[in-house]
Amino acid sequence: QLQLQESGPGLVKPSETLSLTCAVSGGSISSSYYYWGWIRQPPGKGLEWIGNIYFSGDIYYNPSLESRVNISMDTSKNQFSLKLSSVTAADTAVYYCATVPTGYAYGYWVDSWGQGTLVTVSS
Amino acid sequence: SSELAQDPAVSVALGQTARIKCQGDTLRGYHATWYQQKPGQAPVLVISAKDHRPSGIPDRFSASRSGDTASLTITGAQAGDEGDYYCNSRDTSGGLLFGGGTHLTVL
C-alpha cells in the first residue's frame, strides 16, 4: 500500500515561497495508476485542491492558485514537490499530499493521504 | 466556477440514521466521493465514486445520487461516527472539487 510523507519548513515569511516535498513509498511515482496531488486545509476550514501531476508530466492546477503554484516530480527520488510563491497569511494551512486513481470516467477521488504538515505564514 | 454545497452541521441520535447531502451541478455528470475527518487527522475515504467502500469501512455507510444532489447515509449512527464529512467530485477544470464539509454530531 502506498505511503506518503510530506516534509518542508513549518514557517514561511510573507511574500516568500513555500516549498514542500512528498516522499512516496510502497509504489513508484512513475505509475500510470495515479495522479499525485496536493490539497490544503486552513485551520478550522475545509479542503482545497491545489493541483495534480501525472507521470507523463501532465499537470493540473486549481485555477484560483495557478499563477503562484508549481508542482514537479523527481522519479529518481520517488517524490514530488509543491512550490507556492508570494505567500500571505491566507496560505497558512495543513498541506496534504495525496494520490488520485486514474482511469475512472465517472469520478475523481483521493484514495491515499499523507499525514499532513502545517505551514504557517508569518514574519 | 463550480461548487459543492454541504450543510455545515447535522445531528443524529445514537442508533438513528443520519443523512448528509452534497449539491452541485458537477454531480449531474460525476459521482461523489465521501471522506470522514476527525480532529487532527487526515481525511479518510469512506465511499468512493460509484459507492465503493474501502476495506474497514462498515456497511452502515452508503451513498446515493439524484440529479445534482449526492447523499451519504449512516445507518445506526455510533459515537465513533462523529466528525467532519466532506464530499468531492470532479470539477470542470479536470481537478478535484470539495464541498465545504458537514460536522456530524451524534447525540
Side-chain angles (χ1 to χ4, degrees), chain A residues 67-118:
Chain A
S67 63
R68 300 193 292 130
V69 175
N70 181 269
I71 295 176
S72 60
M73 60 195 319
D74 186 336
T75 55
S76 67
K77 295 182 179 179
N78 214 39
Q79 64 186 31
F80 60 106
S81 299
L82 168 70
K83 292 187 186 299
L84 181 66
S85 63
S86 304
V87 297
T88 69
D91 295 310
T92 293
V94 175
Y95 286 77
Y96 296 100
C97 58
T99 58
V100 177
T102 62
Y104 297 94
Y106 51 81
Y108 221 39
W109 64 89
V110 176
D111 68 349
S112 294
W113 301 74
Q115 66 182 25
T117 186
L118 175 63

Side-chain angles (χ1 to χ4, degrees), chain A residues 41 49 96 106 108-110 113, chain B residues 31 33 35 37 86 88 94-95:
Chain A
Q41 184 173 34
W49 171 68
Y96 296 100
Y106 51 81
Y108 221 39
W109 64 89
V110 176
W113 301 74
Chain B
H31 290 250
T33 292
Y35 309 88
Q37 186 179 34
Y86 293 91
N88 100 260

